[in-house]
């Protein structure tokens, strides 16, 4: 896994595609989090909204759209 320091729109789009695809396969939010952890990503809940971040370094990648946050 590589650490993303300079986020660009292409990488954000790929990560959001992965997150969306895994959400459609998961039966629950807990399973979704587990599936994302297998790819090296996590979702952190913040005051400004949910953020997709890398594991284990917790580097923010992009904001999670509100339609996936539920």
């Amino acid at each position: 896994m590589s650490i993303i320091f300079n986020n660009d729109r292409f990488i954000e789009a790929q990560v959001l595609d992965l997150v969306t695809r895994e959400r459609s396969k998961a039966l629950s939010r807990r399973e979704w989090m587990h599936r994302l952890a297998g790819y090296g990503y996590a979702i952190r809940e913040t005051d400004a909204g949910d953020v997709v971040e890398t594991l284990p370094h917790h580097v923010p990648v992009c904001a999670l759209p509100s339609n996936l946050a539920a």
Side-chain angles (χ1 to χ4, degrees):
M1 180 183 80
S2 63
I3 299 173
I4 303 168
F5 290 107
N6 295 326
N7 296 349
D8 64 5
R9 295 292 178 195
F10 182 71
I11 292 174
E12 288 180 12
Q14 287 183 325
V15 171
L16 285 177
D17 182 48
L18 171 73
V19 168
T20 304
R21 190 173 58 243
E22 290 304 314
R23 182 61 181 131
S24 68
K25 294 177 185 177
L27 298 176
S28 66
R29 183 171 173 93
R30 182 177 176 184
E31 180 187 356
W32 181 38
M33 299 298 173
H34 182 74
R35 293 176 73 92
L36 290 177
Y39 288 102
Y41 294 102
I43 296 177
R44 182 173 34 115
E45 297 175 3
T46 65
D47 294 335
D50 292 346
V51 176
V52 179
E53 62 183 15
T54 62
L55 289 177
H57 304 291
H58 302 287
V59 176
V61 177
C62 60
L64 189 67
S66 59
N67 62 341
L68 291 175

